Amino acid sequence: MQDDIFTSRSGTPDDILTAQLSALVAPLAKNSNAVITDPGLLDVARAIFAAYAGTPTSGGLTIRELRMACARVCDNDAVFNQRVETFQALRMLLPSFEKKYEQRYILHPISMVGIHVILRVCEQGGVGELIALLDHTRSAIERHGVNESDVRESLLESRRILAVIADHLHALVDTRTLDELIAERRHHEHPGLMEHVQALSRVVTDRFPDLDTKALTLTIVAHRYLSARERFLKRIIEDGARSGDFSVLSPEEYLTAFKHAPVDLLSQVFTHVPVDPPDPGINAAALAEEVQSLGVRQVRPTRPPRPENKNEEDDPLHDVLRKKDRRRQQAHRRAELVLREPGSTELTDTMRGWGWPQAAVHLTELLAISTPKGPYEVELTDTLFVSPGEELTYLSRVLLHRHVDSAPTQEYMEPAQALVEEGNPE
C-alpha cells in the first residue's frame, strides 16, 4: 500500500533491478512472465553456484545437497523446488549421466558466467558493454583477425546502440522524476567513451579505407549521445539545486505525486493549509496612476542661450577662419622662398633637405594653394627616387610652377622673416 504520495512506485533498488532484468531478458523470453519478479530469487542461483564452486568433486551434487546449500537464502521448499525444476528445464542443471533416474547434477558453466554478465550490465548499463565491443573490434583489427564485413557489422551495431541510448536519455529527461534520473545516472558514468570511438575510427580508416564513412557516422552518433548525456546531467544538477527553493514541496515531488499518487491522497494535500481569497490590494485607478508615475518622461531638447558678449574676436568660428587664412599666407610665403621669379623650380632636393616629417608638412601646405588658376601650381611626376639611406626613402619628383600672368602674393615677406614665421606655425 502506498501511503506517501511523494514516493515513486518504481524507485526501490529491487524494482529497478527487476525492470532491468526484464528488459535484458526480453529478447530471449517466450512470454511476459518468463522473468522473475522477486530479485531475492537470484540468491538461490548464487547459492547453487557457490555450492558447486566449493565442492572439489566432478561427480555433481544431489538435489538434497543443493537444498542444504540454499537453506540460508530460501526456507520455502516449494519455492526451492520450483527454482530447481526451472534450472533443469533450461539446462542450467544437467544430469551427471544421461540416465532416467540419475540423482546427481552438474552445473553448466555458461549459466554461472551469464549471471555475472547480467548483473554487470544491470549495474553499469549498456555503455560499458559498448565500450567493450569497441575495444574488441579495434584489437581484432590490429591483430589482423577480422575481415571488412565483420568490421562493418560491428560499426553498424555500435552506432545502433549509441543512437538508442541517446534517444532513451532524451526520453528520461522529458518524462522521469529526479529520483529516477539519479538511479539511471550510474549507467552513464563513462567519460572516456569518445576516446574509444576515436581510437577505433583511426584503425578502421588505416586498415579499411572504404569504411571511413561508417566510422565517421559512428563518431557523429557518439557526439549525439554526449549531448544527450549533458542534457541528462544538467537536469539532475539544476533540479537538485532547486529542490530546496520551495517552502511546501519541490518540483520533483510534485511530478512524482502527479505520476504515481492515488487520487484520494492527492485530495488531502492542502486540507491543513489556510488559503485567503484573492485580493490584489489595489484598485484600477491607483494602478493606472502608479504606472503613469513610473513612466519615462520625454524631455524636449532646447538650445542653449546666446552669450551676451557678441565680440567677433571671441567667436570660435572666426578664430578658425583666421587661422586658416594665416596658414594660407604662410604657404604662399614658403612658395616665395623657393621660387622668386616666374617659371618652374624643382623641389626634390629641397624636400630631401627638409627631411621627415617636415617635407610632408611643407608639401601638404603647397598642395593646399596649388591650382591652375592661382599663382602657384605643384606638379608630381611619375619619376620615383629611392634612397634607402635617407629619411625620405621614397620620393616622387616635385615641381613648383608660378604662372607668368600671376602676381606675387599680396603680402610679401622677406625669406628670413618667413623662416622665422615657419618656426611658429599656428
Side-chain angles (χ1 to χ4, degrees):
M1 178 177 180
Q2 184 181 7
D3 55 0
D4 184 1
I5 67 173
F6 306 112
T7 300
S8 173
R9 296 178 180 178
S10 60
T12 63
D14 288 346
D15 292 337
I16 295 175
L17 179 60
T18 301
Q20 292 171 343
L21 289 175
S22 299
L24 186 62
V25 183
L28 305 178
K30 186 176 181 180
N31 49 59
S32 59
N33 60 355
V35 184
I36 60 174
T37 57
D38 181 10
L41 297 180
L42 287 175
D43 295 335
V44 177
R46 291 193 182 100
I48 292 177
F49 295 156
Y52 278 98
T55 302
T57 178
S58 59
L61 298 175
T62 63
I63 300 299
R64 180 181 180 82
E65 291 172 334
L66 293 178
R67 182 70 186 91
M68 294 175 59
C70 297
R72 290 186 300 177
V73 297
C74 181
D75 56 359
N76 190 322
D77 291 339
V79 173
F80 172 78
N81 293 332
Q82 187 274 333
R83 298 305 298 153
V84 170
E85 292 176 0
T86 302
F87 296 156
Q88 291 174 336
L90 296 179
R91 307 293 292 174
M92 172 180 147
L93 293 177
L94 303 174
S96 298
F97 299 96
E98 293 295 338
K99 295 181 179 181
K100 186 175 181 179
Y101 299 103
E102 177 63 36
Q103 298 297 318
R104 305 187 72 85
Y105 295 88
I106 59 176
L107 175 67
H108 200 304
I110 198 171
S111 299
M112 191 172 186
V113 176
I115 192 171
H116 288 286
V117 173
I118 292 174
L119 295 178
R120 185 182 72 243
V121 172
C122 292
E123 178 67 23
Q124 300 180 1
V127 180
E129 297 303 312
L130 173 63
I131 292 177
L133 174 61
L134 296 174
D135 293 343
H136 175 74
T137 305
R138 177 176 57 83
S139 177
I141 295 175
E142 292 175 346
R143 298 194 314 267
H144 300 278
V146 66
N147 55 36
E148 182 174 337
S149 177
D150 294 337
V151 175
R152 179 184 293 103
E153 185 64 25
S154 178
L155 293 175
L156 179 60
E157 186 67 17
S158 301
R159 179 179 63 81
R160 290 170 177 171
I161 294 175
L162 273 177
V164 170
I165 295 177
D167 293 339
H168 179 63
L169 277 180
H170 283 299
L172 290 179
V173 174
D174 294 334
T175 61
R176 293 299 187 266
T177 60
L178 179 60
D179 56 345
E180 291 172 312
L181 296 182
I182 293 176
E184 184 73 18
R185 181 178 57 185
R186 70 179 187 274
H187 294 169
H188 302 278
E189 296 177 348
H190 301 86
L193 172 63
M194 204 63 205
E195 287 76 6
H196 294 275
V197 173
Q198 293 174 347
L200 176 60
S201 299
R202 286 193 294 268
V203 297
V204 168
T205 303
D206 294 340
R207 182 69 190 282
F208 303 103
D210 293 340
L211 299 180
D212 181 67
T213 303
K214 299 291 184 182
L216 178 60
T217 304
L218 175 61
T219 304
I220 295 174
V221 177
H223 281 288
R224 178 172 167 235
Y225 163 74
L226 293 181
S227 300
R229 189 178 68 177
E230 289 179 3
R231 181 169 176 251
F232 171 79
L233 296 177
K234 182 179 179 181
R235 188 193 162 192
I236 292 179
I237 294 173
E238 291 180 350
D239 290 355
R242 290 195 301 264
S243 61
D245 292 346
F246 296 86
S247 58
V248 181
L249 295 174
S250 68
E252 288 299 330
E253 289 174 324
Y254 279 115
L255 180 59
T256 302
F258 166 75
K259 295 179 61 177
H260 304 295
V263 178
D264 55 343
L265 289 179
L266 286 174
S267 62
Q268 302 174 9
V269 173
F270 290 101
T271 56
H272 63 287
V273 178
V275 179
D276 295 331
D279 181 14
I282 186 174
N283 55 32
L287 179 61
E289 183 180 354
E290 183 66 19
V291 171
Q292 186 176 4
S293 65
L294 297 177
V296 179
R297 297 180 180 179
Q298 296 183 356
V299 180
R300 295 181 178 180
T302 57
R303 293 183 178 181
R306 291 180 177 273
E308 297 180 358
N309 186 5
K310 297 182 180 180
N311 188 359
E312 293 184 357
E313 295 181 357
D314 298 332
D315 190 347
L317 182 58
H318 285 282
D319 186 56
V320 171
L321 295 176
R322 186 167 55 252
K323 290 182 178 182
K324 182 178 179 181
D325 185 64
R326 287 185 183 180
R327 286 194 294 269
R328 182 184 59 79
Q329 292 181 9
Q330 182 178 345
H332 279 275
R333 294 165 188 162
R334 191 176 310 282
E336 288 295 329
L337 285 175
V338 297
L339 184 60
R340 298 300 300 273
E341 298 294 338
S344 300
T345 300
E346 184 170 348
L347 299 183
T348 306
D349 294 336
T350 305
M351 294 184 64
R352 287 177 176 172
W354 286 338
W356 181 265
Q358 294 300 324
V361 175
H362 298 334
L363 179 60
T364 304
E365 294 176 351
L366 294 176
L367 290 173
I369 62 173
S370 174
T371 172
K373 297 181 180 180
Y376 304 104
E377 183 178 1
V378 178
E379 178 185 0
L380 299 176
T381 66
D382 295 336
T383 304
L384 180 64
F385 296 95
V386 180
S387 303
E390 299 181 3
E391 293 184 5
L392 299 179
T393 307
Y394 301 95
L395 179 62
S396 300
R397 185 184 182 191
V398 183
L399 299 176
L400 178 61
H401 306 287
R402 181 172 12 174
H403 300 158
V404 178
D405 54 350
S406 298
T409 56
Q410 296 178 359
E411 298 182 6
Y412 175 74
M413 182 179 294
E414 293 295 334
Q417 186 179 358
L419 289 174
V420 174
E421 185 72 12
E422 291 175 14
N424 298 278
E426 294 292 340

